[in-house]
Amino acid sequence: MPTVCLNGCDLPVEAAQGETLLSCIRRNGFKVESTCDGQGVCGKCRVIVHGELSPPDEVELEHLSGQPGNIRLACRAKVVGDLTVTLGETWTQIHSAPESKCRTVALDSLLKRVTLPDEVESQRPYAETLPFKISDPRVPAKIAARGENSNQAFGIVFGNELLDIRFDRTPVLGAAVDIGTTSLSLNLFDLESGEFLGSSSALNPQTAYGGDVITRINYCREKAEGVSILRSVLIGQLELMLDEVLGKDRNRDQVHLMSAAGNTTMLHIMAGVNPLSLARAPFRPVFLKPVILEADRCGIPISPLGRLILLPGASAYVGADIVGGLTAIDYRTCSGCTLFIDIGTNGEIVLIEAPDRLLGTSCAMGPALEGMNISCGCRAVPGAVNSVTLDAGMLPRYTTIGDLPPIGICGSGLVDLVAALVTSGVIASSGAFNPDCGRGLTERLRGDRYYLTDNVFLNQRDIRQVQLAKSAAISGILTLLSEAGRSVAELEHIIVAGSFGYHLNPENLKRIGLLPEEYPGRITFVGNSSLSGASLALINQGILREMEHLASIIQVQELGSHPAFSKNFLSQLNFPNS
Ligand code: FES
């Protein structure tokens, strides 16, 4: 049997002849980015290989043209003989958007520290003298330990339940997380002072199993242990992020509460619930209301006596992320007809007509605008091209995150580049490159590629991905407006959320046709409002009730079977004419 040495491991592993490298890598607990879950579409599963492999097929040749011969796609290359494989550095931290400036709320967390009364001369069991529910058998054991400890005892109380007993004044901490399909973000708070202690963000490691919710659900369908694999890689990453924010002076045992926002699929997986029902009609979630789980039972990396709150969603595809976002911006204060759009792999859109009249929907935008499924696409990591303009001589000017040499292009850079090329005529309205676009422009067109730099280019397929994403978004917007009997002219404000949203140039969103080109009004970027919503729910217990009410009043419009959506989608594929 051939042996494979993965990432310089001392112990080579065995692989069956004909097994794909991706299967071998996963089977042995390693990771490689594989956004399309091995379908040969995303081109992200590149590895460096020495040894005997099957020859590259057409799909590989297309993705790897111009690359050295020892770079292969792990999902296409099959083991023939002994190999050494080097995996790419894909698990770097992403550069997330600053959290949105959200409303402020009073500090009134569900989690509190209380001073427990001293022992009194009584034969009544001490636990029964306390005004709290005690359901965990570990708590009475801690009560017994009171006798051994002369320090003042403090209770960590969640609602009316005594979760834990402490004999010191170590801080009472809570973590808020946003579980995005592509990105994870975490905020840490001191729940006694309300002080924000730090944040962390990272790639959602589930992207190795598929770039969007449908491929993840398919993974859960095809693998008996799919949900637990996706859940454990997610929890493993949250553990790293929490440790990073806690630093050396704090520890996980001090964190007794975590609140999580995310789309409905992500929250099902977080709860260990198979999301299969979300992918087949009638698209029925297993739960939507807030769910409270015991930390040790669900394996989250906080005190084993702590609690995890999964925030409420409105439907299978209008999730807790947008409910959290609307709460964070305080949708009740929006004046006039307002459109709230959370741009991400799953685009979610809500039309706010009045505080009690909200119409919501979602559309599959795909991961292109997050820099994935694009030849030279990358997430917002240091070195990613994040803005592009054309100067007077039609030469591209770009910036990169951290002012580093360009390694790829992230979502905001991609929107800028496509908008500039559409405006200058390099890309025709149909999306095709125009070889007669004029001096200064054609020089960078080689074959079906436009070269922004020597190593960062855009090809015809990439442009198609942008067209599909923007068409899904604008079609969702137009369908929602027509369902409400309204026109673009009646919109008074567009609010764009999502970690991607913060970096965008609003005019370019209109230029590529993602937002209505004729819309003249205000466009506001609010960053990661989903994380803000999760943070608010951690700090003030009333927010959870507010979210539950909001989730119950959003009227959800399913677009999958909506005839106007399909019609809009086809008619919106082209870019607006210059
Ligand atoms: S091309 Fe290999 S996982 Fe997408």
Side-chain angles (χ1 to χ4, degrees), residues 22 33-45 63 73-76:
L22 182 62
E33 192 169 330
S34 43
T35 314
C36 69
D37 194 25
Q39 302 301 307
V41 175
C42 68
K44 297 290 180 198
C45 57
H63 280 294
L73 291 187
C75 71
R76 309 297 293 187

Side-chain angles (χ1 to χ4, degrees), residues 5 132 134 179 181 249 349:
C5 177
F132 307 113
I134 298 173
I179 307 171
T181 312
D249 300 333
I349 308 164

Side-chain angles (χ1 to χ4, degrees), residues 263-335:
N263 64 53
T264 308
T265 303
M266 291 300 107
L267 294 196
H268 273 54
I269 292 171
M270 181 76 171
V273 173
N274 199 315
L276 279 187
S277 63
L278 303 177
R280 58 177 174 236
F283 310 108
R284 194 172 179 192
V286 175
F287 63 89
L288 281 176
K289 291 191 178 222
V291 171
I292 296 175
L293 299 168
E294 293 168 17
D296 57 347
R297 295 226 177 142
C298 60
I300 58 163
I302 63 173
S303 161
L305 294 162
R307 293 289 183 270
L308 166 69
I309 305 178
L310 302 177
L311 300 180
S315 78
Y317 290 97
V318 177
D321 43 2
I322 199 147
V323 170
L326 287 164
T327 306
I329 61 158
D330 202 351
Y331 68 98
R332 298 166 304 183
T333 61
C334 291
S335 59

Side-chain angles (χ1 to χ4, degrees), residues 443-458:
E443 285 77 358
R444 285 175 181 266
L445 270 182
R446 284 173 240 152
D448 85 330
R449 295 175 177 182
Y450 174 90
Y451 280 83
L452 177 66
T453 72
D454 286 344
N455 62 337
V456 178
F457 63 83
L458 198 62

Side-chain angles (χ1 to χ4, degrees), residues 260-558:
N263 64 53
T264 308
T265 303
M266 291 300 107
L267 294 196
H268 273 54
I269 292 171
M270 181 76 171
V273 173
N274 199 315
L276 279 187
S277 63
L278 303 177
R280 58 177 174 236
F283 310 108
R284 194 172 179 192
V286 175
F287 63 89
L288 281 176
K289 291 191 178 222
V291 171
I292 296 175
L293 299 168
E294 293 168 17
D296 57 347
R297 295 226 177 142
C298 60
I300 58 163
I302 63 173
S303 161
L305 294 162
R307 293 289 183 270
L308 166 69
I309 305 178
L310 302 177
L311 300 180
S315 78
Y317 290 97
V318 177
D321 43 2
I322 199 147
V323 170
L326 287 164
T327 306
I329 61 158
D330 202 351
Y331 68 98
R332 298 166 304 183
T333 61
C334 291
S335 59
C337 189
T338 301
L339 188 84
F340 183 80
I341 175 165
D342 192 341
I343 296 178
T345 306
N346 185 45
E348 290 171 287
I349 308 164
V350 171
L351 184 67
I352 308 160
E353 296 184 273
D356 59 352
R357 216 167 51 244
L358 297 95
L359 194 57
T361 195
S362 69
C363 53
M365 293 177 66
L369 297 187
E370 294 184 79
M372 297 173 76
N373 263 4
I374 297 292
S375 309
C376 297
C378 63
R379 295 183 198 84
V381 292
V385 173
N386 63 350
S387 75
V388 184
T389 52
L390 293 184
D391 69 13
M394 292 297 153
L395 286 172
R397 302 281 172 222
Y398 60 84
T399 60
T400 62
I401 296 174
D403 285 332
L404 293 170
I407 57 157
I409 189 162
C410 67
S412 55
L414 182 65
V415 169
D416 279 358
L417 178 58
V418 172
L421 296 181
V422 168
T423 305
S424 61
V426 177
I427 297 176
S429 164
S430 66
F433 281 125
N434 173 11
D436 304 319
C437 50
R439 271 189 65 75
L441 294 168
T442 47
E443 285 77 358
R444 285 175 181 266
L445 270 182
R446 284 173 240 152
D448 85 330
R449 295 175 177 182
Y450 174 90
Y451 280 83
L452 177 66
T453 72
D454 286 344
N455 62 337
V456 178
F457 63 83
L458 198 62
N459 68 18
Q460 206 63 76
R461 188 185 151 275
D462 301 333
I463 295 170
R464 196 63 180 166
Q465 296 302 314
V466 174
Q467 287 178 286
L468 293 171
K470 72 97 182 173
S471 183
I474 186 71
S475 304
I477 292 170
L478 296 178
T479 308
L480 212 51
L481 283 171
S482 88
E483 276 297 314
R486 292 189 178 261
S487 66
V488 171
E490 289 174 79
L491 281 179
E492 291 186 26
H493 191 183
I494 295 180
I495 300 174
V496 180
S499 48
F500 170 76
Y502 220 80
H503 305 282
L504 286 174
N505 176 341
E507 284 310 308
N508 286 343
L509 283 180
K510 294 201 288 180
R511 192 67 203 87
I512 67 167
L514 189 149
L515 294 180
E517 208 198 3
E518 68 275 29
Y519 171 70
R522 195 155 51 106
I523 299 174
T524 307
F525 291 148
V526 294
N528 190 347
S529 58
S530 170
L531 180 62
S532 302
S535 303
L536 292 176
L538 199 64
I539 287 167
N540 184 297
Q541 53 185 300
I543 290 290
L544 196 57
R545 287 192 293 275
E546 217 182 271
M547 285 181 179
E548 205 174 343
H549 168 71
L550 169 61
S552 74
I553 62 168
I554 298 176
Q555 294 172 47
V556 176
Q557 183 65 57
E558 291 296 344

